Amino acid sequence: MDSKYNPKEFEDRIYDEWIDNKSFMAKVNPEKEPYTIVLPPPNITGQLHMGHALDQTLQDVLIRWRRLQGYEALWLPGTDHASIATEVRVLKSIEEKEGITKEALGRDEFLKRAWEWRDEYGRIIVNQMKKLGSSCDWDKERFTMDEGCNKAVTEVFIRLYNKGLIYRGNRLINWCPDCMTTLSDAEVEHEEKPGHFYHINYRVKDSDEMLEIATTRPETMIADTGVAVNPKDERYKHLIGKTCILPLVGRELPIIADDYVDLEVGTGALKVTPAHDPNDFEIGIRHNLEQINIFNEDATMNENSGKYQGMDRYACRKEIVKDLEAEGYLVMIKDHAHNVGTCYRCNTVIEPRVSDQWFVKMAPLAGPAMDVVKENILKIVPERFTKVYMHWLENIRDWCISRQLWWGHRIPAFYCESCAEMFVAAEMPDICPKCGGTHFRQDEDVLDTWFSSALWPFSTLGWPDKTPELDYFYPTNVLVTGYDIIFFWVIRMVFSALDEMGEVPFEHVFLHGLVRDAQGRKMSKSLGNGVDPLDIIDQYGADALRFMLATGNSPGNDLKFQIERVESSRNFANKLWNASRFVIMGLEEKDLALTGDEQLTLADKWMLSRLNTVTQDITTSLEKFELGLAANKIYEFTWNEYCDWYIELAKKRLYGEDQTAKQTVQKVLITVLKDILRLLHPFMPFITEEIWAHMPGAGSLLVTDQWPVQDQKWLDANSEKQMELVMEAIKNLRNVRAEMDVVPSRKAKCMIVASDVEIGRQLIENAEYLMTLASCSEVVLIHSKSEVPEDAVSTVVYGAELFLPLADLIDFEKEMERLKKEKSKLESEVERVAKKLSNEGFVKKAPPALIEEEKGKQLKFIEMLNAVNERIEAIAKKL
């Protein structure tokens, strides 16, 4: 092994070795139980970020652990075409380089460019995953728009359409004026923004009475087709059934009664704009109100807006408020913070608008998706997110799946150009059965990205074909993903799998949090606080980054990225490297397996017992998805118990003349080290594989070795208890010596007074450990404190008190010499401060705070001088 730990020397080489040996390949194997994870496919638009690094580290820990346990472990990788994000990026690239618009380029040429983008940039993130150490079966890599996935998407669309669960309808949708496409409810992010309530008077027809309404969006009043009040509202009961006049426009609006209206919000009278508000749309359906669209696709005002046509929506708002005030309709404007829906991709405020779109009918699909959670068939970790999952499904609306884009799965719907008859089919029809026409056009829209992602657990395994891989690896075992895409992806995979496969797509959903910066802020380009995982890997190595992410993970909770923690993880790797090198370089034999016939010391028994206890603890933590807890346990055991304690205790035998004792301790050292490497491998695969290659008789790669199993023959609670006592005694004795600044080379007699006879016996039996690690010259058991010198210092451990004679710890002549020097120094400081404070010029000119500071120093130096004088007097008596 190299003398220094340098991950750059071996990480890439080891990954290539794993690939060459097909270490990650999983195949249909009836002899083994399968364990499957499908990778949440990262978008082809970006690079690996810290969120990816966390997500993939957790998955890799699980898959490497299960592989070592003997499962046929498949981690199936892939990437997502990401309709909106990719189209935006490709168009931006084309416009910047060539100055050509999407329309000028044409659909076919644009798609050609998009596929070229995918071929170039889709590989980048895959290569970055390999740098992280992700042990995916790359031979099975998929893409959401590859031929097989496209076939699955078409099949599901047709099936749902034939069942009546997909329909085309003129409904209110979320529209992004920047991306120029529809968005599903899950793709709209709601954030609180400052705004206003505009109070406007609507005159009741044929009366002098005014009906005051309050709105946050006065520009939409042009599209009002009614005013609603609550039927229980005594203020407005007399107006129900009458009409009012729309200011600035003059349209008559029916005053209707609807339970949706909140008596406490605004004025209790609600302007109803069915074409531009989701709740108003539902009211409009119930009361058969007209829908008037006043917005163009870019959120400018259209021909239905009268004199405001062509204005931007916010410019229109200002103009309408100005006109309302001029004509006496504006009552007042009040500040009001409210939730505003924005596009999850570009952060533009979305515009609800009525449009012809494709929808999935959700009510029949949501029920079974809730049942599998209620019946504990699908388990969500941590369990608290079950409420989020259920709440979303209980309140779900039909899913708008059509997007006005070119990049994506094109909707398999065809229209006869002769009679406009529509057909949903995998291929374009040859002849129209209705009119005999032979010319058809395909629907221009593509499907929501999440429609194909919803099929990912089974489409990637060959569905709709009945493949051996689908039969063997499906359903998968666990989905690992961030809690922020429960709605986007998790729920959709569940209801899609239940509908198409008749069973859940995975047994567990393991949700992790977001990676935030050291201040707890979300990492973003705008804040400039993002951290590139590849930079961290280049500086500290992949293992350090992975271990930091794993130890900082608690299911469902966000993680703060702190570079100090990465450095700490690298220090741990360095500690492991040095300890392993020490153990391996001292070996003289290759056959160092424990037979059970060795004469084991207390330290040996303790170490083997602790190893087997920790092995079971770590396994249990992993089974509960407590990966951070498992990582911390292996860290504590490796650093504190194995390196800091056992290796130090072992050195006396390693350097001694007793060859049998030397061989025994080497057997224990190497046995424990091998299992440490196995336990640590899922978290830090590179360094453990590199060290493993230098282990005696290693043979095969660690990645395909065996996970350790607790061996109860080595469990020894009594030895653990005894060793705990000895370690506590050593720590306490070391603390006493450290407080007195005694060098390790100065030995001291340890006198034990035990109130508990058994404790005293155990300490005497293991006196050699106190002599080795606590610098004791001898350890003796005495009957009472009367035998202890008056000046001895002491420490208490369980049922015993340990004394160290002061004379053994201190060279009184040297100490007297040191104290006299200290006294002289302190006397000079006391004199200096006294002169300063007696100087009238200083006292008059100096700020009061500085004078108080000097007085404080004076008191401190006097106290220190008094303490030194007392110590000098005490030592003088000894000389």
Side-chain angles (χ1 to χ4, degrees):
M1 288 177 65
D2 289 345
S3 58
K4 291 185 178 178
Y5 167 61
N6 183 3
K8 286 184 179 179
E9 291 294 319
F10 57 81
E11 287 192 347
D12 288 345
R13 168 175 54 78
I14 283 176
Y15 199 91
D16 289 342
E17 193 173 354
W18 287 331
I19 295 295
D20 292 343
N21 283 272
K22 299 190 180 299
S23 301
F24 312 148
M25 181 181 286
K27 57 183 183 295
V28 175
N29 184 355
E31 303 297 315
K32 284 186 176 184
E33 186 177 344
Y35 187 86
T36 314
I37 299 176
V38 290
L39 174 78
N43 296 348
I44 59 170
T45 55
Q47 292 187 313
L48 193 74
H49 57 64
M50 273 301 164
H52 290 128
L54 171 63
D55 189 57
Q56 291 165 20
T57 293
L58 299 180
Q59 290 173 78
D60 199 36
V61 168
L62 291 172
I63 210 73
R64 286 180 182 270
W65 164 53
R66 292 299 193 183
R67 189 182 289 124
L68 287 169
Q69 281 192 320
Y71 288 85
E72 191 66 28
L74 169 63
W75 187 12
L76 197 153
T79 49
D80 195 307
H81 64 283
S83 288
I84 298 177
T86 302
E87 184 153 322
V88 168
R89 291 286 293 274
V90 173
L91 285 172
K92 186 177 180 183
S93 174
I94 293 170
E95 287 170 6
E96 287 177 351
K97 293 176 183 176
E98 304 172 48
I100 303 173
T101 64
K102 174 181 176 179
E103 289 69 26
L105 197 64
R107 186 168 195 145
D108 290 342
E109 181 61 24
F110 169 77
L111 290 176
K112 178 187 171 187
R113 303 288 188 91
W115 278 104
E116 288 171 356
W117 171 283
R118 185 262 170 182
D119 292 339
E120 181 179 353
Y121 293 96
R123 308 315 306 160
I124 292 175
I125 202 162
V126 168
N127 292 329
Q128 291 172 338
M129 285 180 64
K130 292 178 179 180
K131 292 289 287 184
L132 187 64
S134 300
S135 62
C136 299
D137 186 343
W138 296 108
D139 291 337
K140 294 183 177 64
E141 183 187 347
R142 301 299 301 270
F143 176 54
T144 49
M145 277 178 60
D146 66 28
E147 186 179 346
C149 288
N150 187 60
K151 180 180 177 182
V153 166
T154 303
E155 179 74 16
V156 169
F157 188 98
I158 294 169
R159 287 189 183 196
L160 291 175
Y161 179 80
N162 289 337
K163 289 179 185 178
L165 294 177
I166 281 183
Y167 65 93
R168 184 169 178 81
N170 191 258
R171 295 177 61 84
L172 195 82
I173 49 90
N174 306 301
W175 181 264
C176 176
D178 187 53
C179 297
M180 299 288 276
T181 182
T182 55
L183 301 172
S184 70
D185 290 342
E187 291 169 313
V188 177
E189 294 181 343
H190 293 273
E191 50 187 277
E192 191 170 275
K193 291 189 175 184
H196 301 93
F197 250 145
Y198 299 86
H199 287 248
I200 306 166
N201 273 334
Y202 285 37
R203 183 173 60 81
V204 177
K205 184 182 178 183
D206 298 331
S207 79
D208 295 328
E209 189 173 356
M210 292 290 185
L211 185 57
E212 185 179 327
I213 64 96
T215 179
T216 59
R217 304 188 66 207
E219 68 275 16
T220 64
M221 65 181 290
I222 307 169
D224 287 359
T225 55
V227 172
V229 297
N230 193 296
K232 298 174 185 174
D233 196 331
E234 296 294 336
R235 293 172 293 178
Y236 304 123
K237 275 188 175 180
H238 67 291
L239 296 177
I240 296 171
K242 295 184 178 182
T243 59
C244 59
I245 308 301
L246 178 62
L248 307 181
V249 178
R251 184 185 308 127
E252 292 189 11
L253 308 178
I255 301 172
I256 57 177
D258 198 284
D259 290 326
Y260 170 77
V261 182
D262 191 329
L263 281 73
E264 306 298 323
V265 175
T267 64
L270 178 74
K271 63 186 277 305
V272 182
T273 318
H276 297 293
D277 182 275
N279 298 308
D280 292 8
F281 177 80
E282 299 298 334
I283 294 173
I285 294 293
R286 288 195 290 273
H287 298 275
N288 198 29
L289 297 179
E290 184 185 1
Q291 298 171 356
I292 302 173
N293 175 27
I294 57 168
F295 290 115
N296 293 312
E297 291 184 349
D298 62 355
T300 56
M301 311 306 289
N302 68 13
E303 67 279 3
N304 294 327
S305 304
K307 73 171 190 175
Y308 307 105
Q309 183 177 354
M311 287 186 179
D312 171 78
R313 53 184 165 171
Y314 298 121
C316 178
R317 177 182 299 178
K318 289 180 182 177
E319 196 64 25
I320 283 181
V321 170
K322 181 181 173 183
D323 289 347
L324 286 169
E325 187 173 20
E327 296 193 24
Y329 293 111
L330 186 66
V331 180
M332 61 177 167
I333 303 174
K334 294 173 69 175
D335 290 341
H336 173 68
H338 59 128
N339 277 328
V340 176
T342 59
C343 173
Y344 81 116
R345 280 293 172 196
C346 66
N347 206 38
T348 300
V349 174
I350 63 103
E351 196 59 63
R353 65 196 296 262
V354 174
S355 175
D356 274 327
Q357 301 291 340
W358 290 90
F359 295 87
V360 175
K361 197 177 291 183
M362 287 308 307
L365 297 170
M370 289 189 282
D371 291 342
V372 292
V373 171
K374 290 175 185 174
E375 295 165 15
N376 210 33
I377 297 169
L378 176 68
K379 304 168 189 69
I380 298 175
V381 181
E383 197 273 337
R384 70 177 186 272
F385 282 99
T386 300
K387 290 180 181 177
V388 178
Y389 175 98
M390 297 298 284
H391 178 75
W392 181 261
L393 284 171
E394 286 164 357
N395 295 276
I396 201 164
R397 296 194 305 174
D398 286 358
W399 173 18
C400 179
I401 55 172
S402 45
R403 298 290 180 269
Q404 288 63 56
L405 303 166
W406 286 351
W407 177 244
H409 296 275
R410 198 161 173 184
I411 290 174
F414 304 90
Y415 303 89
C416 175
E417 293 192 343
S418 299
C419 69
E421 186 72 8
M422 185 185 74
F423 305 91
V424 169
E427 302 288 341
M428 184 178 286
D430 294 321
I431 188 167
C432 176
K434 184 177 180 181
C435 73
T438 56
H439 296 287
F440 297 86
R441 63 176 179 85
Q442 187 172 354
D443 197 298
E444 293 291 320
D445 290 350
V446 298
L447 287 163
D448 178 9
T449 296
W450 300 101
F451 191 94
S452 53
S453 299
L455 318 180
W456 190 245
F458 52 91
S459 65
T460 51
L461 290 168
W463 190 90
D465 297 333
K466 293 184 177 180
T467 65
E469 288 77 16
L470 182 65
D471 183 58
Y472 179 70
F473 288 110
Y474 188 88
T476 67
N477 293 80
V478 59
L479 172 77
V480 182
T481 192
Y483 63 66
D484 55 329
I485 58 171
I486 294 178
F487 325 123
F488 285 110
W489 194 38
V490 178
I491 286 172
R492 288 169 178 165
M493 280 190 287
V494 174
F495 68 66
S496 297
L498 289 171
D499 192 61
E500 301 302 334
M501 304 297 293
E503 56 186 331
V504 292
F506 23 71
E507 298 169 27
H508 289 91
V509 177
F510 172 30
L511 299 170
H512 58 76
L514 306 176
V515 181
R516 299 185 179 274
D517 70 8
Q519 299 175 44
R521 300 174 302 175
K522 189 173 180 179
M523 290 185 177
S524 68
K525 288 180 182 177
S526 59
L527 289 174
N529 62 346
V531 180
D532 188 340
L534 295 182
D535 291 343
I536 301 300
I537 290 172
D538 184 61
Q539 187 173 357
Y540 297 97
D543 287 325
L545 174 60
R546 288 169 61 109
F547 200 69
M548 182 281 293
L549 292 169
T551 51
N553 173 67
S554 175
N557 293 329
D558 291 347
L559 178 151
K560 285 185 182 179
F561 179 88
Q562 297 168 308
I563 199 65
E564 296 81 7
R565 293 187 57 245
V566 181
E567 290 169 351
S568 174
S569 294
R570 191 189 190 284
N571 292 342
F572 174 57
N574 195 59
K575 180 89 169 180
L576 175 69
W577 183 268
N578 291 335
S580 301
R581 188 168 178 270
F582 170 80
V583 170
I584 293 168
M585 290 183 67
L587 299 178
E588 295 176 358
E589 296 183 37
K590 288 190 175 181
D591 185 15
L592 287 167
L594 282 168
T595 62
D597 298 326
E598 294 81 7
Q599 294 296 311
L600 301 177
T601 63
L602 172 65
D604 298 334
K605 293 175 184 176
W606 163 75
M607 183 81 281
L608 292 169
S609 183
R610 286 293 304 137
L611 170 67
N612 281 276
T613 300
V614 166
T615 294
Q616 185 56 53
D617 288 347
I618 291 169
T619 303
T620 300
S621 293
L622 289 172
E623 287 169 347
K624 293 179 179 178
F625 299 100
E626 295 171 344
L627 276 61
L629 191 57
N632 281 310
K633 285 175 181 174
I634 186 62
Y635 172 92
E636 291 294 334
F637 175 75
T638 303
W639 189 303
N640 297 328
E641 298 183 64
Y642 183 71
C643 295
D644 286 355
W645 282 102
Y646 186 71
I647 287 180
E648 292 305 310
L649 289 167
K651 285 179 179 177
K652 185 176 180 181
R653 283 182 286 167
L654 287 172
Y655 301 142
E657 299 298 322
D658 188 335
Q659 290 302 308
T660 302
K662 182 176 182 179
Q663 188 180 70
T664 296
V665 76
Q666 286 184 334
K667 285 182 177 182
V668 177
L669 279 166
I670 206 71
T671 296
V672 177
L673 180 56
K674 280 185 174 181
D675 276 359
I676 283 174
L677 296 176
R678 292 179 177 115
L679 292 168
L680 194 54
H681 177 75
F683 302 95
M684 305 179 87
F686 291 108
I687 186 175
T688 52
E689 190 72 81
E690 178 67 6
I691 294 171
W692 185 264
H694 293 87
M695 298 292 279
S700 62
L701 292 169
L702 174 58
V703 67
T704 49
D705 197 74
Q706 290 185 324
W707 182 256
V709 178
Q710 185 183 74
D711 188 342
Q712 295 197 2
K713 76 178 178 187
W714 297 117
L715 294 179
D716 190 337
N718 187 49
S719 291
E720 287 195 37
K721 190 175 180 182
Q722 278 194 54
M723 197 65 204
E724 187 181 331
L725 167 68
V726 173
M727 289 160 66
E728 189 69 19
I730 292 170
K731 282 189 282 188
N732 288 3
L733 290 171
R734 283 175 168 176
N735 288 340
V736 168
R737 294 172 63 93
E739 287 168 7
M740 302 187 69
D741 201 23
V742 181
V743 294
S745 59
R746 189 170 183 88
K747 305 288 183 180
K749 182 179 182 180
C750 177
M751 308 169 76
I752 300 172
V753 178
S755 56
D756 186 315
V757 176
E758 181 59 22
I759 294 292
R761 182 187 67 77
Q762 290 178 18
L763 288 172
I764 291 298
E765 280 185 0
N766 296 290
E768 63 173 304
Y769 298 137
L770 275 66
M771 295 168 72
T772 302
L773 296 186
S775 299
C776 295
S777 55
E778 61 176 316
V779 181
V780 297
L781 189 65
I782 58 178
H783 297 293
S784 70
K785 293 182 183 179
S786 60
E787 301 177 47
V788 179
E790 288 184 11
D791 60 355
V793 291
S794 68
T795 183
V796 177
V797 53
Y798 302 120
E801 194 168 0
L802 282 60
F803 296 88
L804 299 175
L806 199 61
D808 288 2
L809 297 173
I810 298 174
D811 183 324
F812 290 115
E813 290 183 357
K814 285 186 178 180
E815 181 66 4
M816 180 63 84
E817 187 179 333
R818 187 190 69 79
L819 286 169
K820 285 180 179 178
K821 288 180 182 177
E822 184 71 13
K823 178 182 178 181
S824 176
K825 183 180 173 183
L826 288 167
E827 284 174 339
S828 297
E829 289 296 327
V830 169
E831 185 180 354
R832 181 187 64 78
V833 176
K835 283 182 180 179
K836 203 170 188 179
L837 290 172
S838 62
N839 184 326
E840 289 185 13
F842 170 76
V843 173
K844 284 180 180 179
K845 294 178 181 178
L850 182 58
I851 295 171
E852 288 303 314
E853 184 182 336
E854 290 299 321
K855 286 180 179 179
K857 286 181 183 178
Q858 186 180 44
L859 288 173
K860 176 186 169 186
F861 289 139
I862 291 171
E863 287 175 4
M864 291 171 69
L865 181 60
N866 290 337
V868 167
N869 283 328
E870 287 177 11
R871 191 91 179 109
I872 288 172
E873 287 179 20
I875 290 177
K877 294 177 182 178
K878 304 288 183 183
L879 295 174

